[in-house]
Amino acid sequence: MAEISIRKVSKTFGKTTVLGGVDLDIFNGEFVVILGPSGCGKSTLLRLIAGLEEISAGEIAIAGVVVNALEPRERGCAMVFQNYALYPHMTVAQNIGYALKVAGVARAERQARVEATAKSVGLTEYLDRKPGQLSGGQRQRVAMARAIIREPRVFLFDEPLSNLDAKLRVQMRHEIRRIHNRIGATSVFVTHDQHEGMTLADRLVVMNKGSIEQVGTPAEVHDRPASVYVAGFIGSPAMNFLPGQISLVRRGVLLENGTLIPLAQMPVLEDGHLVQLGIRPEHARLTPRGRGVIEAQVDMIEDLGAQRLCNLMFEDMPFCVLIEARPPLPAGTPVGLDIPAEHIHLFDAASERRIEIALPLPVAAPAEALTG
Amino acid sequence: MIERTPLLNIATHLILLCGLVLILTPIWLAFVAATHTLQAVNSAPVELWPGDQLWPNLREAWAQSDFGPKFVNTLIVAIGVVAGKVTLACITAFSLVFFRFRFRMLIFWMIFITLMLPLEVRIVPTYAVAANALSPFQTILDVTGISRLIQAVSGIEVSLEWNLLNSYAGLILPLVATATGTFLYRQFFLTIPDELVEAARMDGAGPLRFLWDVLIPLSKTNIAALATIMFVYAWNQYLWPLLVVTDRAAYGMVVVQLSDLVPDQMTTGGGTPTWHLAMAATLVVMLPPIAIVILMQRWFVRGLINTDK
Ligand SMILES: Nc1ncnc2c1ncn2[C@@H]1O[C@H](COP(=O)(O)OP(=O)(O)O)[C@@H](O)[C@H]1O
Ligand SMILES: [Mg+2]
C-alpha cells in the first residue's frame, strides 16, 4: 500500500486553478522529488500533503488514513522550509526541541533527544546559539534537525537548498540523502533544479502547469521522456527539436527543408504524420561539411571546461551539440551533423506526447574522425 | 541617507540646541520657582536661579494635595491601562492578522476609524456608558421590545445597571478601549514571515501556543514601546478623571490634584498666588513618567523603529 496516496487532488485559489486533478502514489521509504519550473504548483502540492492548505477536491491519504480534514500536527509529517523558518528568539536547542515541548515530552527526555539529533547533523557545538548567529548551512541543519527529531513518517522539503551557495548545496544534498537512507522515512522533495532532482530521487515527478507530466526513475525520465515538455526540461543543455513528418517509404523523418533523417525502426503511424524529432546535444555528432545527415552553421562555441557546447544554426533554428574536442570553428563555419538513429526521440506534433519506437539492439557507431 | 559634512553637522547641532533650550526653559523656570518662598516667587524680577526652599515647598505641596493616596490611585490606573492595553491590542491584532474570518476587513476598518475618535471627542457618550455600562444592552432590549416582553411575562421590569463612576474600572476601561496599540502590533505582526507561522503549525503549536511562544517573545520591544506610551498617557489624564470621579478623596488622580494647586481667582480668592507650591507639585508629578521613559528607553526606541530583524 502506498504511504501517501493522492487521488484526483485539485486546488483552486479563488478562480485560478493551481492544481488540476493530480494522481500520485508515493511508497513507503521512497525518496520522491517533485520537479518543475517555478509557479507550476509544486509547493502547493506539498502544502496540501502537509495540511497547510485546504484541498479543494480529491483526497489525500497518508498510511491508509484520509487526512483531508486533519490538522498538520496529526498527519505525521515534518517539513523543511526554503527560508528555514527558524524561531529567531530561540536557541538552536530550543528550536530543535520545540515540537517535543509542544507535545509535552518531559524536559530530561527532550534534552537527550535534542542532543542526539544535534549530534547526528553536526550541531553539537552550536546548541546555545541563536539562529541569527549561524551561517546558512548551519541554519539548514537546524531546520533538518527540527524535522528529524519528531521522527515523522514523512519528510517534506520545499526547495530547502535554494538559498545555499553551489558547493554547500551539493554537500547538503548528500547529507539529506544520507539522512533519508539512515532514517528510512518517506521523503517528498520539491525543487526546480533538475540536478537536485536527478541525483536525489528514487522517483521523479515532473510537473507542468498544475499537472503531472511524467513519473519515473531519473533514468526513465531522462532516457524516455513522456512529452516534449519533459524532454526539454530534463537534461542540460536541453534537447534539440526538429519538426518534420513521417515518411514510410523513405523510412525516416522528413524535415521541412526536405532533409531525411533515417530511423532505425518505423513507428506505427500513417505516412505524413507530423512529429517532433528530438535529439540530445550529447548524442548528435559534428561531422565535416557534407558528411552528416543535415547541414548547419556554427553560431558560437562555449567552453564548459571538460566539454564544448557548439551552438549551431540549422535553418534559423538553434541546435546544440556537446563535443569533447576543441575544434577551431569560427562563427559561420558550415558543418555537418550526424543524428544517430538509436538516440532519436519522437513526439506527436499535436499532442506533444512521446511516440514509442521499438529500438533495435544498439549497434556500434562508426568511428568518424572530425576535421575542421 | 546619511550626509557627513562639518557645516551640516554644526547646523544640525544648532537646531537641536534650539529645540533643547525651548523645551528645558519652562522646566528650569518651574524648578526655580519651586525653590523659592511665596514672596520671592511673586516679587517683580523673575528669579532665574534656584533658592533654598525646595524641600519645604515639596512637603507643603505634597501635604496640601494629599499626594500619598493619589499617587497610589494614579499608579493603579496607569498600570491597569498599560496591562489592559497591551493585552487587548495584542489579541485584536493577532486575530486580525492571523485569522481569516468573515467581515475581517470591515472590523479592521471599524477599529481604524476609532483612531479618529479620541476620548475627548466622544466624551459625552462615553460618560453616559460609564454611568451605566449596561445601558447599551438596555437600549437594545428596549428597542427590540424584549424588555416589555419580559415584563409582560414575568412582571419583572428589566433595568440593567452597572455604574462605573467613581471606580478604577471607570477610570481605566475607556482609556483601554482605543485602537492605537492594535495598529502598532498589527504592523509588526505583518512582518512575521508566513513560513514561521507554518513551521509552528507543523511543530504542532495551536494558535494560542504560537501567540505565547513565538509572537509575544518576538514583540517584546513593541510591548515595551506601547507600555511606555500608554503609561505616560494614562498618568497625564486630566479631563476624564475630572469627569468620572466625584469622590476625589477616594479616587482622585494626581494631575487633577495638581490643577487645584495652580492658582486662579477661585483658589486664591484674591490672595497671593502660590506658584511655588504649584511648581513643586509639578516636579513631583513629572517624576514617574520620566522614570518610566528612562527605564524603558532602550527597548522603547527599538520597538518604534523596528530594526533588528
Ligand atoms: N495563497 C495563494 N493565493 C493565490 N494564489 C496562490 C497562492 N499560493 C500559490 N498561488 C499560486 O499558485 C501557483 C503555484 O504556486 P506554487 O505552488 O508556490 O508554485 P511553485 O512552488 O511550483 O513555484 C502560482 O501561480 C501562485 O501564484
Ligand atoms: Mg515553491
Side-chain angles (χ1 to χ4, degrees), chain B residues 60 80-81 94 103 111 176 180 195 201 234 246 256 258-259 275 278:
Chain B
E60 174 66 19
V81 168
F94 179 57
F103 307 126
I111 295 176
V176 169
T180 40
E195 276 194 355
R201 279 183 75 190
T246 45
V256 181
L258 175 63
S259 75
W275 281 111

Side-chain angles (χ1 to χ4, degrees), chain B residues 120-138:
Chain B
E120 288 74 11
V121 173
R122 53 189 164 84
I123 200 150
V124 173
T126 308
Y127 182 84
V129 173
N132 179 8
L134 296 179
S135 64
F137 300 102
Q138 176 82 51

Side-chain angles (χ1 to χ4, degrees), chain A residues 234-274:
Chain A
I234 303 281
S236 130
M239 187 183 279
N240 300 294
F241 295 101
L242 300 169
Q245 51 178 297
I246 295 289
S247 167
L248 290 179
V249 187
R250 299 175 64 188
R251 296 191 63 77
V253 175
L254 201 56
L255 301 187
E256 279 160 1
N257 72 344
T259 317
L260 182 85
I261 299 186
L263 293 176
Q265 194 95 39
M266 290 313 289
V268 196
L269 290 172
E270 75 278 20
D271 204 32
H273 192 98
L274 293 180

Side-chain angles (χ1 to χ4, degrees), chain B residues 215-226:
Chain B
L215 278 184
I216 290 182
L218 285 179
S219 27
K220 265 190 291 194
T221 54
N222 294 71
I223 292 177
L226 182 63

Side-chain angles (χ1 to χ4, degrees), chain A residues 207 271 307:
Chain A
M207 283 188 69
D271 204 32
Q307 289 162 315

